[in-house]
Amino acid sequence: MTEYRDPVFLKPYFQQNIWGGRRLETEFGFSIPDGRIGECWAVSAYPGCESTIANGPDAGMKLSEFWSREPEFFGDLPAEYRAAGYPFITKIIDAKENLSIQVHPDDAYAAAHENGARGKTECWYILDCPEHAELVLGHNAGTREELRRMIGEHRWNELLRRVPVRKGDFIQLEPGTIHAITAGVCLLETQQSSDITYRVYDYDRLQNGKPRELHKEQSIAVATIPAQDPDKMVLHTDKAPAGQMFELVKCRYYRVGRLPISGRATVGRARSFRIVTVTEGNGTMQTAGKDAPLKKGDSFLLPADSEGAEFDGTMNLIVASPVL
Ligand code: ZN
């Protein structure tokens, strides 16, 4: 049996999107394919979009394989949880153009209508955005019939709500929330490992000469009505003190925190694995007496039951862990 005490760094999978840009290369230093690259699947075991291990004895191994081969790395997880596969996707999203207006189902709807897939709860930490940026969050329909009517009549300006955001803001999106990332926004997404998206509206854009498929019926079926007040969904984190974990959310699937570092900081022991992304700056990490350099764009997994990690530098970390 291999002793896994070292953190595992991941090599991302990159995805082309009609709305993508080049900032994953220019701002994050990734070597990316040509074209419009909208998504860096930094930590993912989603079939066809997997990250692979970048360091240590298992370099080159897919995360899904590592998940099933090295259960101790991830902690003492319930058998059913383990059997369902690595549970999250951590993505960096570069929206050069607007993303479609969309909504995701919850576990129950996805299980019943999408061949037993997971639903999609997701959350966003804003890495960068233009001045006066707004996200699409929620809607103004009072009933499902009204939602159906407004969608049918293309009354998008009346229907959709928008909320101002700035760098460092955090938003938790429960399934059923109608939402869209807008042009110029770059964010870190932590989500359930699911790719089920119902597109409500795509700004009448064409991809290869054709509009992308819409899923109006499914969207109407899963949308939360009335919608949550979008102003109450945005958490500002710019006052988070350096050296301390600032909790962004704890929901039924995950806990996510922000750890701004200026000098030294530590994270302690935990019973299950943690996912860490360096969203800004650089520095070093020390675990079990070993040093590893860290830079913006790095994502790694900290093993369960390790002594934790000590950081030194000027960085911002986003740290996620499972809720069981
Ligand atoms: Zn989404």
Side-chain angles (χ1 to χ4, degrees), residues 67 71 74-82 87 271-273 322 324:
W67 170 265
F74 295 92
D76 188 15
L77 306 170
E80 205 177 304
Y81 191 91
R82 205 178 278 292
R271 290 184 55 202
S272 44
F273 70 101
L324 300 165

Side-chain angles (χ1 to χ4, degrees), residues 3 11 23 45-46 85 87 114 181 238 246 252 283:
E3 273 285 304
K11 188 172 175 293
R23 278 185 293 181
Y46 194 82
E114 302 288 351
I181 301 172
D238 34 14
F246 183 88
R252 56 186 293 211

Side-chain angles (χ1 to χ4, degrees), residues 6-10 43 63 66 73-74 86 273-276 299-303:
D6 290 342
V8 162
F9 285 78
L10 283 310
V43 188
L63 179 57
F66 187 67
F73 182 96
F74 295 92
Y86 177 78
F273 70 101
R274 281 168 290 190
I275 310 147
V276 185
S299 285
F300 55 91
L301 297 169
L302 285 176

Side-chain angles (χ1 to χ4, degrees), residues 43 67 73-74 81 86-91 121-125 170 172 188-192 245-251 253-259 267-268 270-279 298-304 311 316-324:
V43 188
W67 170 265
F73 182 96
F74 295 92
Y81 191 91
Y86 177 78
F88 307 117
I89 303 172
T90 305
K91 282 184 197 172
T121 300
E122 65 187 40
C123 63
W124 297 339
Y125 176 78
F170 176 83
Q172 165 79 352
L188 181 79
E189 180 175 83
T190 303
Q191 55 158 101
Q192 286 181 273
M245 189 70 75
F246 183 88
E247 183 162 279
L248 301 171
V249 71
K250 185 186 176 196
C251 70
Y253 301 104
Y254 49 71
R255 184 194 283 267
V256 181
R258 174 182 176 196
L259 178 60
V267 301
R271 290 184 55 202
S272 44
F273 70 101
R274 281 168 290 190
I275 310 147
V276 185
T277 301
V278 183
T279 67
D298 284 346
S299 285
F300 55 91
L301 297 169
L302 285 176
F311 300 97
N316 186 65
L317 308 184
I318 300 295
V319 182
S321 55
V323 169
L324 300 165

